[in-house]
Amino acid sequence: MEKSTPIGLGLGFALIFAAIFLGGNWLTFIDIPSVLITVGGTVAALLVAYSFDELKVVIPGLQGLLKFNPPDLNQYVHLFTDLSRTARREGLLALDRRLAEVEDEFIRFGLEMAVDGIEEQEIAEMLQVRMAEEFRPMQLFAKIMNSAGTFAPSFGMIGTLIGLVQMMQNLTDPTQIGAGMAVAMLTTLYGAVLANLIFLPLANKTKVQLALLQKAREMTRVGILSIVRGDSPSMIEKRLQMLAGNQEASAKEEAPHLAKAA
């Protein structure tokens, strides 16, 4: 479960609201037309830039971001090293009885092809296609959030310009200029908050999570193809350790297990 994202959002809004309340009249920071211009304009721009089918990934993408569990890359190393020893001793068909232990669907998909005797090249292509399909929603969600982070400040500026034009119409009444300027600036504030506290950080977090998932899937692909080729367990272990990088070995105690205890 992703914890830093809701904590960061809550802390960010808390600090903003605290600054507003401590500064005096908080009602001056509420302006419905400014909200309509900034939020409505951002939504309208997204509808122009993306199709309805593409925008359907927003809610699942947000849910996936908050529920994301970082993969334990060291667990991948141990799993495929162990599977390669089984295949080395008893042959690829022996992996069939190990399939029930594997909880990860992507790993099971690759192992099933290996057990079925499918050629290495075809396995590699099938895994690549499966990876691309798995990554596509996250990539699209990050792209949409990044676009929203660009549109929101722009519409905030548009709202400010609209407010300034309306303010100019009241230059004959000096008492209205200050209030009009404050309202005109609210759309810029709304756009900046939406972009820099919500949309752009969500896009960045999704990219970070996607990078971790891509590394885990690449380790799976390499592990399965190495087993199919009949590489030695020690070579597979070293190869996967290089891909895993410097992840702390202790993390495997906390992360979900990829395989149930035999």
Side-chain angles (χ1 to χ4, degrees):
M1 178 71 178
E2 168 62 34
K3 297 180 180 179
S4 64
T5 298
I7 291 175
L9 287 172
L11 180 60
F13 280 114
L15 292 173
I16 292 173
F17 289 146
I20 290 174
F21 280 108
L22 292 175
N25 186 8
W26 59 272
L27 289 175
T28 59
F29 288 88
I30 299 177
D31 185 62
I32 301 302
S34 297
V35 173
L36 292 176
I37 292 172
T38 308
V39 178
T42 300
V43 172
L46 289 174
L47 288 172
V48 173
Y50 300 94
S51 67
F52 282 112
D53 287 338
E54 290 174 322
L55 291 174
K56 287 179 181 178
V57 306
V58 171
I59 294 178
L62 182 59
Q63 293 173 338
L65 183 150
L66 295 176
K67 295 178 180 179
F68 183 79
N69 285 312
D72 180 4
L73 302 184
N74 287 296
Q75 187 71 15
Y76 281 74
V77 176
H78 299 315
L79 175 64
F80 285 107
T81 301
D82 184 43
L83 290 174
S84 67
R85 291 195 180 102
T86 299
R88 188 86 171 212
R89 289 193 306 265
E90 307 172 41
L92 285 175
L93 290 177
L95 297 178
D96 187 50
R97 58 183 171 79
R98 301 287 305 272
L99 291 176
E101 305 172 15
V102 180
E103 297 178 344
D104 189 292
E105 292 184 3
F106 185 82
I107 297 176
R108 192 184 304 118
F109 174 71
L111 291 175
E112 286 174 348
M113 290 191 291
V115 170
D116 291 340
I118 297 176
E119 293 293 328
E120 177 186 345
Q121 183 62 33
E122 189 171 354
I123 293 177
E125 292 175 356
M126 291 290 290
L127 290 176
Q128 200 68 41
V129 171
R130 182 86 177 245
M131 289 163 62
E133 286 300 310
E134 185 177 6
F135 300 153
R136 191 190 72 81
M138 294 181 71
Q139 292 169 334
L140 181 57
F141 177 74
K143 185 178 179 181
I144 291 173
M145 289 298 100
N146 192 68
S147 296
T150 302
F151 295 147
S154 298
F155 277 96
M157 183 58 65
I158 290 172
T160 296
L161 294 175
I162 293 173
L164 290 175
V165 170
Q166 294 174 339
M167 185 188 69
M168 295 292 288
Q169 298 174 354
N170 296 317
L171 287 179
T172 55
D173 186 359
T175 61
Q176 298 295 320
I177 295 177
M181 177 65 77
V183 172
M185 297 301 292
L186 283 178
T187 51
T188 298
L189 173 64
Y190 293 160
V193 170
L194 288 173
N196 295 289
L197 184 56
I198 300 178
F199 297 135
L200 295 180
L202 288 179
N204 186 72
K205 178 59 69 68
T206 302
K207 292 175 183 177
V208 171
Q209 293 179 350
L210 179 60
L212 287 172
L213 182 60
Q214 287 174 328
K215 179 175 283 191
R217 293 305 183 229
E218 178 62 18
M219 289 179 66
T220 298
R221 191 184 71 84
V222 170
I224 291 173
L225 295 179
S226 297
I227 291 173
V228 171
R229 284 194 300 268
D231 294 343
S232 67
S234 61
M235 177 59 70
I236 293 175
E237 183 177 19
K238 292 177 182 177
R239 188 176 293 149
L240 294 180
Q241 284 176 341
M242 290 179 63
L243 287 173
N246 297 321
Q247 188 186 47
E248 292 292 331
S250 61
K252 67 183 178 183
E253 301 296 332
E254 302 174 359
H257 292 296
L258 296 172
K260 300 176 183 176

